[in-house]
Amino acid sequence: MALNLLMLGPPGAGKGTQAERFARSRRIPRISTGDILRDAVHAGTEIGRRAKAIMDRGELISDDVMIGIVRERLERDDALRGFVLDGFPRTVAQASALDDIMDGRDPLIVIDIVVPEAELVRRLGTRLICAECGTNAPIAGGAGPCATCGGKLVQRADDNQAVVLERLKVYHRQSEPLVEYFRVRPTFRSIDGAQPADRVAADLAAAVLAAGNVGVGGGRR
Ligand code: AMP
């Protein structure tokens, strides 16, 4: 059975870090739409050129573009054995398209990472990422080079204070309704993302196990 995991939560909740760690431990791909878009910006593709200005304002790329990107990615062979989806869906229209894409596949397990707003603002204001490979630096990591590739650590273009506040506003308006969309499913769980990363990882693994048990034959899909 494929482990199809969807991570919900506001920017700064730790979705990327936890998704990466979980995907590596289960040997399934982590699919981050933010990373796909940042790669497109870096590569200077047509989508990347159009996405950059929108991302720099903290707004969302159109549903059509995002659904197309994710549909193509989820149909690749490596994702048929399971995946961790991080950053998608971000609107109810994207969630409904995802349900269509997943029709006939194993159920989605949906984990919502909950973190108080003040903590999100603090984290996003101090977060550093590697300019080379995009990895998040540990929150209390100091100013050294990237632990993964030795690259230089920099602030993400959309982590400056004005854009952070806009991204949180966009989250509450457009993405938070997704929690209600998915909450009614037996494969939905919330976890406390304000704890140290190791505890969050342990809670995530336990929540996936519990949701997966009810999900076999019991979830919507
Ligand atoms: P993230 O790395 O997930 O915080 O995404 C960074 C930025 O990419 C977001 O602020 C959006 O501008 C854009 N983005 C990523 N995923 C999506 C999505 N599913 N729908 C629309 N825009 C997205």
Side-chain angles (χ1 to χ4, degrees), residues 119-172:
E119 173 66 7
L120 296 173
V121 174
R122 190 190 68 76
R123 285 185 187 179
L124 291 165
T126 53
R127 167 164 83 174
L128 293 177
I129 61 159
C130 174
E132 302 302 323
C133 71
T135 303
N136 273 338
I139 297 207
C146 168
T148 306
C149 77
K152 187 168 170 239
L153 299 181
V154 295
Q155 189 173 52
R156 234 172 79 167
D158 58 355
D159 275 349
N160 71 69
Q161 207 194 7
V163 181
V164 161
L165 296 179
E166 178 61 22
R167 285 163 62 212
L168 288 171
K169 234 186 335 180
V170 166
Y171 169 77
H172 290 305

Side-chain angles (χ1 to χ4, degrees), residues 11 15 32-35 37-38 51 54-56 58-63 66 70 86-91 94 127 156 158 167:
K15 294 190 299 294
S32 152
T33 46
D35 281 358
L37 292 168
R38 279 184 290 276
I54 301 171
M55 293 168 78
D56 285 349
E59 295 167 8
L60 296 186
I61 311 303
S62 75
D63 287 337
M66 295 314 302
V70 170
D86 155 22
F88 184 97
R90 261 180 158 95
T91 63
Q94 292 179 13
R127 167 164 83 174
R156 234 172 79 167
D158 58 355
R167 285 163 62 212

